[in-house]
Amino acid sequence: MIKVENVTFRYDRSGEPVLNRINMTIDEGEYIGIVGPNGCGKTTLVQHLNALLYPADGRVSVDGMNTNDESCVEEVRRRVGMVFQNPDNQIVGMTVEEDIAFGPGNLELPSPEIRQRVDESLARVGLKNHAKRQPHTLSGGEKRLVSIAGILAMKPGYIIFDEPTSYLDPSGRDRILSIIKEINKQGIAIIHITHNMDEIVSAGRIIVMNEGRIVFTGSPKEVFGKVEQMKALKLDIPVATDLAWRLKQRGEDIRTDILTIDEACLEILSRLQSLHAS
Ligand SMILES: Nc1ncnc2c1ncn2[C@@H]1O[C@H](COP(=O)(O)OP(=O)(O)OP(=O)(O)O)[C@@H](O)[C@H]1O
Ligand SMILES: [Mg+2]
């Protein structure tokens, strides 16, 4: 479990806190979405979860290890992987497989174990044929897959994805999203930051942040059901939820706890069928 207790953080000692008394827990195997306007502190918060930043006040612990305890930092970073928004910040190897082997190499694992982890991770992201490529020759989407493979090779318990689909085309985005779901099914907890609400309709829980605080949290249905509050924060809601909400505003008797286009289609079809029947 990751526990964030009363965490306050400032980049500039005399300035306003960027995180203001944040409390949250993340259980093993959970899938959590984090949303909020630009600059509200999402990246700053998740950097506390793998000891890239330390709280000025309060406490962060990962599976019982305090991130402020220097002797735990290495293990905390192994257990909590971070896929950065810009994959170029994460690529270190001359070839794709060297890059993926870098983390397990630092753990001083035996060579056959490293080889096995690299092969497994390459297979999980579908990059087996690119093992010998130079990372800088890959496309943006492929680079992101390499950084995910590098994290998987560390066998973490939790993976943070900070806007993992930015700059990707729809098929690149779908590929990353299905890998995230697959990883979660295999028991790794996911912390997924995004501005695209459709990406996290299947998350177990969503945390909404604003100005360094958690403003509300709940299941996707609970959070996206607060349409006015989300709009007041200038945040989107899933396209299908918005459609249902707009139809309701126009007086249609329609369910509004709809999250996907498929659900919206079925709801609208059943409305049309009952209209035809009457
Ligand atoms: N290294 C830094 N030094 C000083 N201020 C910073 C630093 N990094 C972030 N900030 C400031 O902290 C605040 C929160 O930034 P953060 O990157 O956590 O926001 P975010 O919610 O991830 O935003 P976005 O959606 O744009 O990625 C912003 O006001 C930002 O300018
Ligand atoms: Mg950010």
Side-chain angles (χ1 to χ4, degrees):
M1 180 195 270
I2 301 182
K3 251 181 156 171
V4 176
E5 294 166 277
N6 246 336
V7 165
T8 295
F9 178 83
R10 294 175 175 80
Y11 285 101
D12 169 6
R13 271 168 184 248
S14 54
E16 286 288 302
V18 171
L19 298 178
N20 205 334
R21 297 192 189 187
I22 299 274
N23 285 288
M24 67 178 205
T25 56
I26 300 167
D27 282 326
E28 282 167 33
E30 261 201 288
Y31 184 166
I32 293 197
I34 301 185
V35 303
N38 289 132
C40 72
K42 302 178 296 297
T43 297
T44 305
L45 172 62
V46 296
Q47 288 185 342
H48 279 77
L49 309 183
N50 77 339
L52 286 175
L53 294 174
Y54 306 95
D57 254 318
R59 183 175 188 274
V60 178
S61 65
V62 174
D63 300 337
M65 293 176 289
N66 189 331
T67 61
N68 264 323
D69 178 348
E70 246 177 66
S71 66
C72 298
V73 165
E74 205 174 316
E75 182 56 14
V76 163
R77 292 196 181 142
R78 188 197 66 75
R79 289 194 198 196
V80 187
M82 165 96 78
V83 177
F84 289 92
Q85 182 168 354
N86 181 354
D88 287 323
N89 291 347
Q90 209 154 9
I91 285 173
V92 288
M94 295 295 285
T95 64
V96 165
E97 61 184 4
E98 266 180 36
D99 190 83
I100 298 169
F102 182 78
N106 275 346
L107 298 177
E108 296 177 11
L109 298 168
S111 302
E113 166 81 18
I114 296 178
R115 180 77 257 165
Q116 193 192 346
R117 288 192 183 199
V118 170
D119 290 343
E120 272 173 20
S121 307
L122 276 171
R124 271 167 92 177
V125 301
L127 280 186
K128 261 185 162 171
N129 297 334
H130 293 50
K132 307 282 182 204
R133 289 271 301 274
Q134 295 181 334
H136 70 89
T137 66
L138 298 173
S139 74
E142 289 162 344
K143 281 183 191 163
R144 200 157 284 165
L145 293 172
V146 173
S147 46
I148 295 173
I151 300 291
L152 287 173
M154 302 291 279
K155 296 199 184 282
Y158 312 81
I159 304 185
I160 298 160
F161 289 89
D162 195 350
E163 301 193 34
T165 62
S166 49
Y167 314 118
L168 299 187
D169 71 10
S171 82
R173 198 183 69 200
D174 287 349
R175 196 163 168 198
I176 297 276
L177 293 176
S178 68
I179 289 171
I180 292 177
K181 283 185 191 147
E182 198 53 40
I183 294 172
N184 182 238
K185 261 195 210 145
Q186 289 163 356
I188 299 177
I190 304 290
I191 298 112
H192 179 166
I193 297 178
T194 186
H195 292 288
N196 182 340
M197 306 302 167
D198 288 299
E199 289 183 3
I200 48 168
V201 292
S202 59
R205 190 152 58 95
I206 294 176
I207 290 173
V208 183
M209 290 184 68
N210 191 39
E211 296 180 348
R213 296 175 194 267
I214 293 177
V215 282
F216 48 91
T217 170
S219 69
K221 281 202 169 155
E222 287 164 348
V223 164
F224 297 133
K226 296 181 195 291
V227 176
E228 278 91 358
Q229 284 108 309
M230 292 295 278
K231 286 183 187 276
L233 292 170
K234 306 237 174 343
L235 295 174
D236 274 340
I237 51 176
V239 173
T241 317
D242 204 13
L243 174 66
W245 184 77
R246 284 171 199 232
L247 287 168
K248 183 97 182 172
Q249 298 295 302
R250 287 168 178 255
E252 282 297 321
D253 175 24
I254 189 168
R255 263 178 55 213
T256 52
D257 62 340
I258 282 171
L259 298 175
T260 66
I261 295 288
D262 279 343
E263 279 178 275
C265 273
L266 286 175
E267 179 69 13
I268 291 167
L269 274 176
S270 85
R271 288 276 305 137
L272 287 174
Q273 277 159 359
S274 60
L275 281 177
H276 287 312
S278 61

